[in-house]
Amino acid sequence: MPGNTTKTSLTHHQSFDIECSIDDVVSQPDSASKCYDDDGRLKRTGSVWTASSHIITAVIGSGVLSLAWAVAQLGWIAGPAVMILFSLVTVYTSSFLADCYRAGDLNSGKRNYTYMDAVRSILGGVNVTFCGIFQYLNLFGIVIGYTIAASISMTAIKRSNCFHQSDDKNPCHMSSNNFMIIFGVMEIFLSQIPDFDQIWWLSSVAAVMSFTYSIIGLALGIVKVAENGTIMGSLTGISIGVVSETEKIWKTSQALGDIAFAYSYAVVLIEIQDTLKSPPSEAKSMKKATKISIAVTTTFYMLCGCMGYAAFGDAAPGNLLTGFGFYNPFWLVDIANAAIVVHLVGAYQVFSQPIFAFVEKSATQRWSNINKEFRIAIPGLPSYNLNLFRLVWRTMFVILTTVISMLLPFFNDMVGVIGALGFWPLTVYFPVEMYISQKKIPKWSNRWICLQIFSVACLVISVVAAVGSIAGVLNDLKKYKPFQSNY
């Protein structure tokens, strides 16, 4: 049995005790590397597969449910083309971002633990402020969107059972507020998991759930197409006449925002990369994980979005599994919606952890004694260190996101706004600018000009999508009353 042990803490604020043998370190100094990475923090254990599960959890989110509606606005030509375009942009710019995890040398350079750290060390100045504003507002918006989506899915389970019991005669209208509160309570408990590296198991479960409901949605779409005996939809989407010219423009713009949201994970890429072990270099593993997960998600998106459009045509609902495009078999729809809820429980944590880490790091720098912890023994498990600041602040954060979700329960339009506002700055602008800086690409060289044209083109798409989505939210506000959402 080893003699004395040393207890240390993981990235940011790890609270579970991990033991490394001092006898081994004293007798074999090199053995310290078994417990610590080159930055003095506990050894990271993430792999390509754990990173892929984090990405899939972040990417295949509730956004997949709005893709049939998005394709319906764009049509058979532009719909799939835009999805492929966004996937290629995401892979391309993610490779730039993965190279920013370490400053200088990809194998031994100084680590950047967060997206903001990367921007600070490579670009500096006002870029850091803008990055922080966009990143944390985007993360905040995403968790609100996930709260709304989870509550709608929980409401849909209750409604589908109501429809079944009344033989579809009862409209079964009900509020989603109680379900938002239930979801919030679950997140209050889960938000006490101290660090990103400890939620790998939650991401793995969530990734399985995302495949579950995507496959069910796809299967139901195939059955619906077979039942119809024809593939519905048109080359250009919903035609003018069915909607006005203005509505066509707004809805097409909003569809771009919905698809952008479906690919939004650059905002947590560096944080995910910070969980990876090395060798090989973290950048190499992250690029591989990105290619695997984006290939998988794009395949699912194409299948689910296109099959949903083929099944319902211009009448494709904004949320494929809760807009009651499908009523039967009700038990299968219930399983799909339950899988959505479980997935979003995990996804909420994936997107909240960077916010938690940022606030707690800032608080620790200002008040050094705020990290005081109380050890709680858990039978059969490592002891848990309770941090009162973490308990109070994370609880307040979850309560705030829940209340805002109850005030603005418009899933489709909120998804579009969040996707549009976060896409260009976080997925395109900062990765491109950091790449130019790191590679020392000369201003006005051919490569520099091409990268700037690419960035401006993506900016135009983001602006168009944002305008359309904001118009949709303003239209929703005319019909909704606070805390009185009905489905």
Side-chain angles (χ1 to χ4, degrees), residues 124-138:
V126 73
N127 286 292
V128 181
T129 303
F130 281 118
C131 174
I133 291 169
F134 280 115
Q135 182 183 12
Y136 294 110
L137 279 179
N138 190 250

Side-chain angles (χ1 to χ4, degrees), residues 200-459:
W200 64 267
W201 60 271
L202 193 57
S203 281
S204 298
V205 171
V208 171
M209 291 298 103
S210 67
F211 283 122
T212 301
Y213 67 74
S214 296
I215 289 170
I216 291 173
L218 174 62
L220 290 171
I222 293 170
V223 171
K224 183 73 173 176
V225 170
E227 185 183 295
N228 293 338
T230 183
I231 293 176
M232 301 181 73
S234 63
L235 295 179
T236 56
I238 294 177
S239 56
I240 295 171
V242 177
V243 294
S244 67
E245 287 186 25
T246 305
E247 283 181 313
K248 175 70 175 176
I249 293 170
W250 291 145
K251 289 180 182 294
T252 298
S253 302
Q254 186 184 330
L256 294 176
D258 283 9
I259 294 173
F261 176 84
Y263 281 103
S264 62
Y265 91 97
V267 69
V268 291
L269 185 147
I270 297 289
E271 283 81 354
I272 292 173
Q273 194 168 344
D274 190 42
T275 67
L276 292 173
K277 61 186 176 184
S278 62
S281 72
E282 297 88 356
K284 184 176 180 180
S285 296
M286 196 65 196
K287 289 176 184 178
K288 188 174 180 181
T290 295
K291 288 175 183 175
I292 291 169
S293 41
I294 296 299
V296 170
T297 54
T298 301
T299 301
F300 267 80
Y301 283 179
M302 292 290 285
L303 289 171
C304 293
C306 293
M307 196 53 67
Y309 184 43
F312 298 104
D314 293 350
N319 188 320
L320 195 60
L321 290 170
T322 63
F324 288 99
F326 301 113
Y327 289 91
N328 289 303
F330 80 99
W331 57 269
L332 190 58
V333 176
D334 286 355
I335 290 173
N337 279 302
I340 292 170
V341 174
V342 174
H343 171 257
L344 293 179
V345 165
Y348 185 104
Q349 289 302 313
V350 169
F351 284 98
S352 295
Q353 286 291 338
I355 300 177
F356 296 157
F358 172 73
V359 170
E360 287 155 25
K361 180 182 176 183
S362 301
T364 303
Q365 289 172 345
R366 181 166 295 187
W367 303 289
S368 57
N369 63 345
I370 205 169
N371 265 339
K372 187 175 180 182
E373 295 179 333
F374 301 91
R375 180 164 298 185
I376 298 175
I378 304 174
L381 293 171
S383 60
Y384 179 79
N385 295 336
L386 176 66
N387 180 306
L388 286 179
F389 172 70
R390 182 172 65 231
L391 174 66
V392 173
W393 122 254
R394 293 191 182 190
T395 299
M396 295 305 295
F397 173 85
V398 175
I399 290 172
L400 178 62
T401 59
T402 304
V403 171
I404 293 175
S405 301
M406 292 164 71
L407 280 167
L408 301 169
F410 339 116
F411 170 72
N412 227 44
D413 294 324
M414 285 297 291
V415 158
V417 171
I418 296 163
L421 294 179
F423 173 70
W424 178 71
L426 299 171
T427 302
V428 180
Y429 174 74
F430 287 116
V432 166
E433 291 302 312
M434 287 191 285
Y435 177 78
I436 289 172
S437 177
Q438 277 195 313
K439 299 297 181 182
K440 296 180 172 56
I441 298 173
K443 202 170 186 178
W444 304 113
S445 65
N446 289 339
R447 184 150 180 76
W448 185 90
I449 291 171
C450 288
L451 286 169
Q452 295 300 334
I453 290 172
F454 167 71
S455 182
V456 170
C458 291
L459 170 61

